[in-house]
Amino acid sequence: MIKFILNENEISYSGHPGLAMLDFIRYHKNLTGTKIGCREGDCGACTVLVGEIRSGELIYRSMTSCLLPIGNVNAKHIVTIEGINMSDLNPIQQAMSDESATQCGFCTPGFVMSLAGFCLQKNIVDFKKEALASVDGNICRCTGYKSIERATVKIAELCSKRGQEDPTKFVASQKILPEYFEGIQSRLIAIKNPVEASASTINPKYIVAGGTDLYVQKHDELPHANLKFVINEIDSNAIHLNGNIVTIGCTCTVTDLVESEIIRTHFLDFEKYYRLISSTPIRNMATIAGNIVNASPIGDFTAFFLALNADITLVNKNVNRVVKLKDFFLGYKKLDKLPEEILSTISFNLPSKNSKFNFEKVCKRTNLDIASVNTAIAVEIVDEKIISCHLSAGGVGPTPLYLTKSAEFLIGKSIEVDTIQKLLEIIQTEIAPISDARGTDIYKRGLLNHLVKGHFIVWYPELISSSFISM
């Protein structure tokens, strides 16, 4: 039995846990304000809010309901557009109306729900910036975005007045969202029942974490397949630091990484990196372990952790097996993993004070797009010489690549244009891109070269010269 709150009502559900929340909302509960668009998490028309209690706090995230299995919502609060309606338009809806930010109206519920998620967000520093970022997963095909941007800025200005007040209390007191939000935390505590995700564990066909890619690939199959869910397992989303080793739980999402003091402290450019990766609703759902096990040749965080020389721990009936991430990928979508094994944790050593790290990516649009090519690098430099190096690349082979020869070449070298030129030549011997919708093989080879140059430009901008640029 899966128990959760849908808007104001407590739900007990005993059907198949693989059903997408979008279909439950529309076809089981006739809440048709949540729209069906792409069913791939791209357009944001089906955006809902998901509230859950973490470490004693009620936290809300915007998520695309087309990719959200009902098996992942036990003891959570699901909010649709109907759940934030009041007798009059709320300030978010009013701002959209006042600024003529809607025409056909199909995308409007998604925008409104994303902005509602922003209003419930904690620890905001730059209200305007974060408000605009909150709708990066929503697409409008009618208006252009300036009117939507004006409405968003209005909401940012309203929320900036809350000071230190709890967001849930503030939105209720200011009639931004209905008053019932204030009572949700106690209601969730009352129904919270840590179960094993309400799904079969006997020979599951699929193991589901965030589901953001699996539900794109297997949308028609998952509502009927034998599934195991791991998202509700206790402490599986934790990020721990033990000495110099960081350990990340299997259901840690991209947003969990973004909000981790450990990650932000030791990767000062992490905000730049994560804004290249998907959109806010997808970052709120997608798990790091899922990104790795999906084995996409262009997995962004796979490239990220390959450059950190990470280890992964696979678990099967309490038996642990540690594998180097760089040895995990055996071929296209082939892994050093038994079907019953679950990727439990990812661990890596923190960069030292002498280390430098960078991640680069190019895709066809800024937000919510898979990479054409990505790459990451970590080097440790002592006395102006590289003493260790790890270099990765995605989109240029059948698997995410750890560039062994290229990394070994840099050991003992100083950072000079000639060194980088030779590095690029070696890289070209280690990759085998193919032509596809994201570019020709020649384009990807040239793109990787430019992205690798980008690593060094970030660290040593003085290297930029006419000779360097022409390489």
Side-chain angles (χ1 to χ4, degrees):
M1 183 69 67
I2 300 169
K3 295 183 178 181
F4 60 99
I5 299 172
L6 176 61
N7 297 328
E8 294 188 71
N9 302 312
E10 185 172 323
I11 303 293
S12 295
Y13 174 80
S14 58
H16 195 286
L19 181 71
M21 277 302 304
L22 173 60
D23 295 323
F24 179 80
I25 290 165
R26 288 181 59 87
Y27 302 132
H28 290 238
K29 295 300 177 182
N30 199 33
L31 298 173
T32 54
T34 304
K35 303 304 181 186
I36 297 175
C38 64
R39 280 199 181 270
E40 294 186 354
D42 282 347
C43 71
C46 68
T47 301
V48 298
L49 299 186
V50 180
E52 65 175 314
I53 297 173
R54 287 192 180 187
S55 302
E57 284 190 295
L58 176 58
I59 297 173
Y60 282 92
R61 311 281 194 214
S62 59
M63 299 186 185
T64 54
S65 59
C66 65
L67 304 181
L68 177 64
I70 202 168
N72 277 354
V73 305
N74 191 65
K76 296 177 183 177
H77 182 208
I78 308 301
V79 188
T80 70
I81 189 70
E82 292 87 354
I84 66 169
N85 286 336
M86 295 184 280
S87 56
D88 297 316
L89 294 179
N90 67 40
I92 304 171
Q93 296 165 327
Q94 190 66 57
M96 294 285 284
S97 176
D98 291 345
E99 296 299 332
S100 301
T102 179
Q103 286 187 20
C104 80
F106 190 85
C107 71
T108 307
F111 276 98
V112 171
M113 294 310 296
S114 290
L115 287 170
F118 162 75
C119 293
L120 290 164
Q121 188 176 323
K122 301 183 179 183
N123 303 317
I124 298 175
V125 176
D126 187 327
F127 280 83
K128 179 180 177 181
K129 179 180 178 181
E130 292 304 311
L132 292 171
S134 71
V135 295
D136 60 13
N138 298 91
I139 294 175
C140 176
R141 295 174 176 87
C142 295
T143 67
Y145 290 95
K146 283 302 175 183
S147 55
I148 297 171
E149 182 179 322
R150 291 194 299 270
T152 299
V153 171
K154 279 189 173 182
I155 301 307
E157 292 171 350
L158 176 60
C159 289
S160 67
K161 299 175 182 178
R162 79 182 184 206
Q164 299 302 312
E165 188 175 356
D166 178 79
T168 307
K169 293 181 179 179
F170 177 79
V171 297
S173 65
Q174 297 297 311
K175 300 187 184 306
I176 299 173
L177 297 177
E179 292 182 356
Y180 78 82
F181 272 81
E182 287 192 88
I184 291 297
Q185 182 162 349
S186 60
R187 293 179 64 188
L188 288 181
I189 291 172
I191 68 172
K192 191 169 180 60
N193 179 27
V195 296
E196 193 169 336
S198 307
S200 172
T201 60
I202 302 174
N203 299 320
K205 185 170 184 180
Y206 300 108
I207 297 170
V208 181
T212 54
D213 192 75
L214 196 59
Y215 269 77
V216 173
Q217 298 181 33
K218 309 285 185 181
H219 174 267
D220 293 333
E221 183 180 354
L222 293 175
H224 313 287
N226 192 20
L227 308 175
K228 174 179 172 59
F229 293 80
V230 296
I231 204 77
N232 292 332
E233 294 184 359
I234 297 173
D235 200 40
S236 65
N237 65 344
I239 302 173
H240 299 292
L241 178 61
N242 184 7
N244 194 48
I245 299 175
V246 177
T247 301
I248 299 170
C250 65
T251 66
C252 174
T253 66
V254 178
T255 299
D256 292 330
L257 280 186
V258 171
E259 296 180 350
S260 166
E261 283 299 316
I262 296 170
I263 300 300
R264 296 185 77 100
T265 298
H266 294 91
F267 296 89
L268 299 181
D269 290 329
F270 194 75
E271 180 173 346
K272 181 184 79 172
Y273 306 150
Y274 86 77
R275 292 198 184 278
L276 294 172
I277 299 170
S278 66
S279 64
T280 297
I282 302 302
R283 290 194 292 263
N284 290 339
M285 304 169 69
T287 65
I288 307 303
N291 188 253
I292 290 172
V293 172
N294 184 42
S296 169
I298 45 179
D300 290 317
F301 273 105
T302 305
F304 187 93
F305 286 107
L306 278 171
L308 292 171
N309 197 30
D311 296 321
I312 59 173
T313 300
L314 302 170
V315 177
N316 178 20
K317 297 179 181 178
N318 298 318
V319 176
N320 293 354
R321 183 167 67 93
V322 179
V323 178
K324 277 288 181 188
L325 182 57
K326 64 183 180 181
D327 299 326
F328 188 52
F329 305 101
L330 306 179
Y332 180 71
K333 296 286 186 175
K334 294 182 179 179
L335 305 173
D336 180 12
K337 174 186 172 299
L338 299 174
E340 58 270 23
E341 287 182 316
I342 294 176
L343 198 164
S344 173
T345 61
I346 305 143
S347 59
F348 61 93
N349 289 313
L350 281 174
S352 71
K353 64 179 181 179
N354 297 317
S355 296
K356 297 179 182 294
F357 181 90
N358 194 49
F359 172 81
E360 297 286 345
K361 170 184 176 179
V362 166
C363 52
K364 290 190 173 182
R365 57 177 171 160
T366 302
N367 295 112
L368 194 59
D369 204 0
I370 54 181
S372 296
V373 174
N374 56 27
T375 174
I377 188 172
V379 297
E380 186 174 4
I381 300 174
V382 175
D383 295 331
E384 299 184 352
K385 300 287 186 182
I386 297 174
I387 65 170
S388 71
C389 176
H390 302 286
L391 177 60
S392 67
V396 288
T399 67
L401 296 180
Y402 179 90
L403 301 176
T404 303
K405 293 179 181 178
S406 303
E408 290 176 349
F409 164 76
L410 286 177
I411 305 299
K413 304 293 193 305
S414 57
I415 306 298
E416 299 173 354
V417 171
D418 288 344
T419 300
I420 298 170
Q421 176 66 63
K422 180 61 176 176
L423 170 66
L424 298 179
E425 293 173 5
I426 297 172
I427 286 174
Q428 291 299 313
T429 70
E430 291 198 84
I431 64 176
I434 61 171
S435 298
D436 58 20
R438 285 174 288 279
T440 65
D441 58 340
I442 296 173
Y443 167 75
K444 292 177 184 178
R445 285 183 179 276
L447 183 54
L448 179 59
N449 271 10
H450 283 292
L451 293 181
V452 171
K453 292 178 199 176
H455 295 316
F456 297 96
I457 291 173
V458 167
W459 299 334
Y460 302 100
E462 68 275 11
L463 279 177
I464 299 176
S465 66
S466 59
S467 62
F468 185 77
I469 293 172
S470 66
M471 285 168 47

